């Protein structure tokens, strides 16, 4: 593996700072360059595992002095090459900064270090009667989720990371440490720097502390699946559910191709038809009423085979099947990698966008299962390709390009939740025009040397 000029000297300085918590072992470097998607592995030159904000600030100062790129790293589950070291440099892995720093039960908030994963956080909150609901399927870190503005299955009820982060502590490119806000539920104090760093993919600063909103654990939960004669009917039912003002906690769509994958992967016997996965949270009485209304609405739209899961283990089996759709989808074509798409459109255009996309993929002969957070108008098609066949990759990217153009023409976006990373760079200007130039100005102001996660969000990220 080639070690870039200056990386050896920097590695020595970092080792002096944090000892064995700096690694240049080949396996460690390679592990930090890989992603779950089709993007090529891009390894850093060194990986550091800080334990305090002061250490992070010193690491950033040392890297800045050496002109070395800095790539923050959470759990490495992002899907657009967001944490790949496109220009090498130092990867800051937050695995050892994974503590809950304070739980404020009466205020329903929590202060955490960025490396804690969402499952670790909820395990530690277990006795408080509170939970953190944002669920991207993978056991991602809170720092990574903040930095990709993640959402997932429960956003339809609880919002995305942008709605649930109250304040941040951030190390800037020059090593200064700032706080973006206090813990107050609302504030009109100047520019909203919290929102600026949420979704910045580590390109504007390194997050070292996060204050999150918490929510009461619902006293009753019930989940259900229901299949439909076609995608259109399933989406119409989802829209009707939302318009009925039922506060559904999850409304997830899985198409017939993905249902085939789920059955094979999880050994289940669901109908291989477009299917809604639903969940309701509330009191016993409220959940029972919501379930009754939901069943009536879905039946009206041609839904059948409504199957309820009230017991915790039945619900967990159901959501386990849904959460593993990436691996279930990949199982439809052994050895394949996935080009993972992530468009989001106003919900009134969703059925049209979905059915046109399905037709486009089928007519080009791709195995391409679809899964969607349809309550938000967001869906993913996994375009399965042979990673060694350049023409398949080109065909998949062309299909993705048409899908994004279709979504943007419908007033939607190229990425509802995965971020831009390496994979959506080409689409940003078509979607946002001159606003991208303003983003570049913000980048230039906060990271004038272009050292923070370079190569992401913009082509040639150096300002
Ligand atoms: C099976 C599967 C299902 C998924 N489903 C969803 C889904 O439904 N919804 C969804 O939103 N996502 C989903 N994802 C994607 C992924 O889980 C999210 O993008 C997640 O937010 C990434 O978190 P992470 O800790 O793995 O971050 P990483 O991959 O480690 O990093 C992601 C980005 O955040 C930056 N970063 C990390 N930590 C910091 C920090 N402390 N300071 C500054 N920048 C930082 C990195 O530099 C990088 O740009 C899924 C992934 C998988 C594998």
């Amino acid at each position: 593996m080639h070690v870039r000029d200056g990386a050896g000297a920097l590695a020595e300085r970092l080792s002096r700072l944090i000892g064995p918590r700096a690694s240049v072992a080949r396996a460690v470097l390679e592990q930090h360059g890989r992603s779950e998607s089709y993007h090529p592995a891009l390894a850093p030159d060194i990986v550091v595992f800080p334990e305090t904000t002061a250490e992070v600030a010193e690491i950033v100062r040392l890297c800045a002095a050496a002109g070395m790129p800095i790539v923050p790293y959470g759990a490495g589950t992002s899907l657009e090459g967001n944490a790949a070291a496109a220009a090498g440099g130092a990867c800051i892995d937050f695995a050892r900064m994974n503590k809950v720093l304070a739980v404020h039960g009466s205020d329903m908030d929590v202060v955490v270090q960025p490396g804690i994963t969402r499952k670790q956080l909820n395990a530690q909150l277990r006795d408080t009667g509170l939970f953190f609901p944002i669920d991207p399927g993978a056991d991602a870190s809170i720092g990574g989720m903040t930095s990709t503005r993640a959402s997932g299955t429960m956003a339809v009820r609880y919002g995305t990371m942008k709605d649930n982060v109250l304040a941040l502590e951030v190390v800037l490119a020059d090593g200064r440490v700032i706080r973006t806000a206090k813990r107050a539920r609302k504030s009109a104090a100047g520019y909203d720097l919290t929102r600026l760093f949420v979704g910045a993919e580590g390109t504007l600063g390194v997050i070292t502390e996060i204050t999150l909103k918490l929510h009461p654990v619902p006293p009753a939960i019930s989940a259900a699946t229901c299949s439909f004669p076609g995608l259109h009917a399933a989406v119409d039912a989802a829209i009707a559910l939302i318009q009925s003002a039922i506060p559904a906690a999850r409304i997830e769509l899985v198409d017939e191709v993905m249902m085939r994958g789920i059955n094979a992967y999880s050994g289940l016997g669901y109908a291989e038809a477009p299917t809604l996965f639903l969940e309701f949270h509330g009191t016993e009485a409220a959940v029972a009423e919501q379930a009754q209304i939901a069943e009536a609405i879905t039946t009206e739209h041609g839904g059948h085979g409504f199957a309820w899961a009230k017991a915790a283990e039945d619900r967990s089996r159901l959501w386990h099947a849904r959460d593993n759709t990436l691996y279930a989808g990949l199982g439809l074509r052994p050895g394949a990698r996935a080009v993972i798409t992530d468009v989001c459109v106003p919900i009134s255009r969703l059925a049209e966008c979905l059915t046109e996309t399905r037709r486009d993929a089928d007519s080009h002969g791709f195995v391409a299962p679809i899964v969607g957070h349809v309550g938000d108008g967001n869906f993913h098609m996994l375009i399965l390709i042979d990673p060694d066949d350049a023409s398949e990759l080109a065909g998949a990217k062309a299909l993705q390009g048409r899908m994004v153009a279709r979504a943007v023409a419908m007033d939607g976006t190229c990425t509802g939740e995965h971020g831009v990373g390496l994979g959506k760079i080409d689409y940003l200007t078509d979607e946002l025009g001159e606003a991208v130039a303003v983003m570049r100005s913000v980048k230039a102001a906060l990271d004038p040397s272009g050292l923070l996660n370079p190569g992401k969000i913009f082509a040639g990220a150096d300002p």
Side-chain angles (χ1 to χ4, degrees), residues 188-382:
Y191 296 155
D192 188 347
L193 295 184
T194 309
R195 293 272 187 108
L196 180 63
F197 288 102
V198 174
E201 300 186 31
T203 63
L204 299 180
V206 182
I207 297 168
T208 45
E209 251 183 55
I210 302 149
T211 305
L212 297 169
K213 288 183 196 170
L214 297 175
H215 299 260
V217 175
I221 300 178
S222 73
T225 56
C226 174
S227 51
F228 290 83
L231 279 175
H232 219 294
V235 173
D236 287 346
I239 294 174
L241 280 170
I242 289 170
Q243 288 176 344
S244 73
I246 296 181
R250 307 190 203 209
I251 308 180
E252 297 286 301
L253 171 76
V254 178
D255 83 342
E256 63 278 19
V257 186
M258 186 64 93
M259 288 308 291
R260 186 152 44 85
I262 285 182
N263 281 344
Y265 182 82
S266 299
L268 296 167
Y270 286 120
E272 290 177 6
T275 300
L276 286 183
F277 285 58
L278 306 169
E279 188 166 279
F280 304 98
H281 295 177
T283 59
E284 285 285 351
V287 163
E289 188 191 17
Q290 290 169 28
Q292 212 177 22
I293 300 173
E295 195 161 345
I297 290 175
T298 49
T299 307
E300 222 170 89
H301 287 85
H304 52 88
F306 213 90
W308 285 102
K310 268 203 91 186
E313 58 275 23
D314 295 340
R315 279 202 320 275
S316 135
R317 200 171 313 117
L318 186 153
W319 289 112
H320 185 261
R322 163 62 190 85
D323 284 349
N324 277 299
T325 47
L326 173 57
Y327 311 107
L330 287 169
L332 288 166
R333 188 175 173 192
R337 301 282 281 171
V339 173
I340 301 173
T341 66
D342 179 31
V343 299
C344 187
V345 293
I347 195 164
S348 61
R349 307 299 301 272
L350 181 62
E352 190 185 351
C353 192
L354 261 168
T355 45
E356 282 181 25
T357 300
R358 173 80 281 152
R359 207 174 303 128
D360 193 359
D362 291 346
S363 69
H364 286 82
F366 282 103
V367 180
I370 290 177
V371 47
H373 311 300
V374 285
D376 305 317
N378 181 201
F379 71 97
H380 312 294
M381 185 163 74
L382 274 57

Side-chain angles (χ1 to χ4, degrees), residues 20 46 67 80 82 99 244 272 309 337 342 377 383 388 405 413 429 435 444:
I46 183 166
E80 290 297 354
N82 317 60
K99 293 184 186 53
S244 73
E272 290 177 6
R337 301 282 281 171
D342 179 31
I383 312 171
D388 299 323
T413 176
T429 303

